[in-house]
Amino acid sequence: RRRFGMKMGLDSIKRLLQRLGDPQLRFNAVHVAGTNGKGSVCAMLDSILRAAGHRVGLFTSPYIRHFHERMRADGVEITDEELAAITEYVSPFAEAMEEKPTEFELITAIALVYFARHNCDYVVFEVGMGGRLDSTNIIPPEPVAASVITGIAMDHTAFLGDTPEKIAAEKAGIIK
């Protein structure tokens, strides 16, 4: 998928998820954007929601040690077998599209199917980059439980803007 590079926008992920039956509509979401602290905030929210008795999915980006830690249901990383099975399920839908999804869009779609299959009550999403045009921003206004923005600093300036204000506006794009 890396050959398709990175495309800012939500059209491709919307079309892919529609083909997959809109799995993003099957749970409440907590969406986290910002420059620093996103992973820590996501981990805390995951822990709090699980302690409250909810079935919780966690989507983080990027991974630190290995790919599987990006997708967790109830604190357990996706298994090799489940990752392979969901990828095999999603791939024909992606391949049938005229404009092929990017690597991150495909990973996002796989995660959404995974969380729907695990009947998560809540899913905590860490944006990949930015917010407004990040493929995780496919989450509709309902059922978003909360949007969280951590500290903002100069990052990804080629895509998000060359001032803290422009970057903040992009990250604020997750607010529903």
Side-chain angles (χ1 to χ4, degrees), residues 24-71:
Q24 76 279 11
L25 302 178
R26 298 188 190 141
F27 42 77
N28 297 294
V30 179
H31 207 180
V32 181
T35 303
N36 297 306
K38 296 183 303 291
S40 297
V41 168
C42 287
M44 287 183 266
L45 290 168
D46 172 61
S47 178
I48 291 166
L49 289 166
R50 285 191 291 123
H54 298 288
R55 295 191 59 112
V56 182
L58 176 63
F59 182 76
T60 57
S61 177
Y63 60 89
I64 296 171
R65 290 179 308 246
H66 57 274
F67 182 85
H68 294 64
E69 66 193 53
R70 295 179 84 153
M71 299 172 216

Side-chain angles (χ1 to χ4, degrees), residues 5-173:
M6 184 176 72
K7 294 178 280 192
M8 301 296 280
L10 301 176
D11 292 339
S12 182
I13 188 72
K14 279 182 188 176
R15 284 192 299 278
L16 177 56
L17 293 176
Q18 286 171 345
R19 292 167 182 245
L20 294 167
D22 286 317
Q24 76 279 11
L25 302 178
R26 298 188 190 141
F27 42 77
N28 297 294
V30 179
H31 207 180
V32 181
T35 303
N36 297 306
K38 296 183 303 291
S40 297
V41 168
C42 287
M44 287 183 266
L45 290 168
D46 172 61
S47 178
I48 291 166
L49 289 166
R50 285 191 291 123
H54 298 288
R55 295 191 59 112
V56 182
L58 176 63
F59 182 76
T60 57
S61 177
Y63 60 89
I64 296 171
R65 290 179 308 246
H66 57 274
F67 182 85
H68 294 64
E69 66 193 53
R70 295 179 84 153
M71 299 172 216
R72 300 177 193 180
D74 294 324
V76 179
E77 294 176 4
I78 190 170
T79 64
D80 288 339
E81 296 77 21
E82 193 163 19
L83 179 59
I86 295 173
T87 301
E88 285 179 25
Y89 168 71
V90 171
S91 290
F93 292 98
E95 291 302 318
M97 295 173 60
E98 187 174 320
E99 183 181 340
K100 305 292 187 241
T102 64
E103 177 184 15
F104 191 69
E105 289 169 333
L106 191 60
I107 292 167
T108 301
I110 290 166
L112 290 165
V113 170
Y114 171 68
F115 299 135
R117 286 185 178 183
H118 279 265
N119 298 310
C120 293
D121 301 316
Y122 290 90
V123 177
V124 179
F125 287 96
E126 178 182 358
V127 302
M129 179 181 72
R132 182 176 66 90
L133 299 175
D134 187 89
S135 68
T136 61
N137 205 21
I138 193 63
I139 304 161
E142 294 293 329
V144 170
S147 299
V148 179
I149 300 178
T150 66
I152 304 294
M154 298 296 288
D155 69 335
H156 304 293
T157 56
F159 298 99
L160 304 179
D162 57 0
T163 67
E165 294 80 12
K166 289 177 183 175
I167 292 168
E170 287 298 317
K171 294 179 187 281

